[in-house]
Amino acid sequence: MTAPRLTLPSPAKLNLMLHILGRREDGYHELQTLFQFLDYGDEITFAVRDDGVIRLHTEFDGVPHDSNLIVRAAKKLQEQSGCSLGIDIWIDKILPMGGGIGGGSSNAATTLLGLNHLWQLGWDEDRLAALGLTLGADVPVFVRGHAAFAEGVGEKLTPVEPDEPWYVVLVPQVAVSTAEIFSDPLLTRNTPPIKVRPVPEGNSRNDCLPVVSRRYPEVRNALNLLGNFTEAKLTGTGSCVFGGFPSKAEADKVSALLTETLTGFVAKGSNVSMLHRKLQSLL
Ligand SMILES: C[C@@](CO)(OP(=O)(O)O)[C@H](O)COP(=O)(O)OP(=O)(O)OC[C@H]1O[C@@H](n2ccc(N)nc2=O)[C@H](O)[C@@H]1O
Ligand SMILES: Nc1ncnc2c1ncn2[C@@H]1O[C@H](COP(=O)(O)OP(=O)(O)O)[C@@H](O)[C@H]1O
């Protein structure tokens, strides 16, 4: 008998704004950020094995098997649940790594939700999100699957309903190190907290942008080019740059012009993650 297989989406995210409020004693920075998903991402296929082995069959450039967030997520869930089953995993990877669109965190969340389903663990979202946070600050929002205003290092989440425009996302061919940006002495670290909800208009700044665009000319160039058509923003610590458009046709037109020289894609913003829409359809 062949093992049950399940293919699930692993969407990207954007940070629609990102404010840095201060630095904690452990060196991590307190943030306020707005997460929205894209209807664009990787696809991960899972097949249960009964021998307890966890095996990712797709190779990643520069990421050893056991360091991959997919494998780390699966191993942690297996250990903490005491499950004796294993898993074979394949991924169709389209999201750029180190682009600030959360591919690694999303892959970890899709793995947690997929295995919870296939191994029939019955864990609730709170428990999965808490485990996810030990893998990375952006994992909980992907576990919850709803656009959110995030505080702390990204773990305190309040669901929100921003507009869902079409985005042009440009992918400068450079990986930005999050650690490097957060350790730059010139980074703004004292933005006053926003206390009112929803986030007021005019608060869409990303405090990482000045430092990233100074250090990475490729990002600066992408911001300038997209800025000719719409407000161009940086997601997370970059490198990806994005801008919203009211229709797919307009986004496609701008993308066609810009992707003559730059890599990029068009995707719809989404307040409910396509992972959760797919999981819902399985119930
Ligand atoms: C800044 C965000 C916004 O979404 O974006 P991107 O990584 O997607 O760009 C995330 O919170 C990134 O969170 P996370 O994925 O956990 O960051 P990591 O790469 O593990 O962080 C690398 C290093 O950056 C610093 N760091 C990270 C997050 C934070 N809130 N404060 C920090 O000071 C720490 O020194 C940490 O060791
Ligand atoms: N499954 C994975 N997908 C992407 N990156 C991964 C994965 N597992 C580990 N990583 C590591 O995590 C780093 C950050 O990845 P990613 O989440 O894609 O970027 P970002 O946090 O900038 O959005 C990568 O550069 C890579 O070294």
Side-chain angles (χ1 to χ4, degrees):
M1 201 181 79
T2 49
R5 273 175 188 246
L6 178 65
T7 297
L8 292 174
S10 187
K13 59 85 177 161
L14 295 175
N15 297 95
L16 302 184
M17 49 74 75
L18 193 157
H19 292 178
I20 304 176
L21 313 186
R23 201 179 344 202
R24 304 194 314 200
E25 286 202 342
D26 63 3
Y28 265 77
H29 289 75
E30 289 274 343
L31 311 176
Q32 284 188 324
T33 185
L34 207 48
F35 286 112
Q36 187 178 50
F37 305 104
L38 293 177
D39 279 349
Y40 184 86
D42 304 330
E43 275 201 331
I44 310 185
T45 298
F46 303 95
V48 174
R49 349 178 6 143
D50 55 19
D51 60 2
V53 171
I54 287 170
R55 173 91 201 275
L56 173 63
H57 294 267
T58 315
E59 289 197 9
F60 278 54
D61 278 349
V63 185
H65 183 268
D66 288 352
S67 309
N68 197 296
L69 281 157
I70 296 172
V71 176
R72 291 178 54 214
K75 287 199 168 156
K76 272 205 167 175
L77 187 63
Q78 190 189 45
E79 267 163 38
Q80 292 189 17
S81 66
C83 182
S84 61
L85 296 170
I87 201 80
D88 283 313
I89 309 174
W90 297 264
I91 179 166
D92 184 3
K93 186 88 191 155
I94 62 165
L95 297 178
M97 295 202 278
I101 56 176
S105 309
S106 177
N107 290 172
T110 294
T111 303
L112 294 176
L113 269 63
L115 298 190
N116 186 43
H117 180 82
L118 284 171
W119 289 345
Q120 301 185 347
L121 303 178
W123 278 34
D124 64 19
E125 228 172 69
D126 287 350
R127 215 169 158 197
L128 292 166
L131 191 160
L133 183 61
T134 67
L135 296 163
D138 289 348
V139 180
V141 73
F142 286 109
V143 168
R144 304 267 180 203
H146 202 284
F149 182 69
E151 299 175 274
V153 294
E155 80 290 5
K156 290 179 211 152
L157 297 168
T158 308
V160 289
E161 296 286 342
D163 289 345
E164 298 176 324
W166 285 87
Y167 293 105
V168 171
V169 181
L170 297 178
V171 186
Q173 297 302 295
V174 51
V176 175
S177 152
T178 301
E180 181 189 297
I181 300 309
F182 277 110
S183 60
D184 192 301
L186 294 179
L187 186 70
T188 297
R189 299 189 162 80
N190 58 355
T191 295
I194 299 170
K195 297 214 171 96
V196 287
R197 305 283 180 275
V199 177
E201 290 285 323
N203 280 277
S204 67
R205 195 179 71 246
N206 181 335
D207 282 336
C208 300
L209 188 143
V211 167
V212 175
S213 79
R214 192 172 38 82
R215 283 175 172 259
Y216 295 92
E218 298 88 343
V219 176
R220 199 160 63 231
N221 181 43
L223 284 163
N224 287 339
L225 289 172
L226 187 56
N228 289 323
F229 301 94
T230 186
E231 187 190 359
K233 302 203 228 174
L234 182 76
T235 175
T237 53
S239 60
C240 290
V241 160
F242 67 97
F245 294 88
S247 69
K248 180 172 189 305
E250 282 172 73
D252 280 339
K253 205 163 72 188
V254 170
S255 172
L257 287 171
L258 294 178
T259 53
E260 281 179 8
T261 53
L262 281 167
T263 309
F265 60 88
V266 167
K268 179 126 177 28
S270 171
N271 293 336
V272 177
S273 145
M274 56 183 184
L275 168 62
H276 289 69
R277 301 201 307 261
K278 173 79 190 263
L279 284 170
Q280 201 63 43
S281 76
L282 298 175
L283 298 177

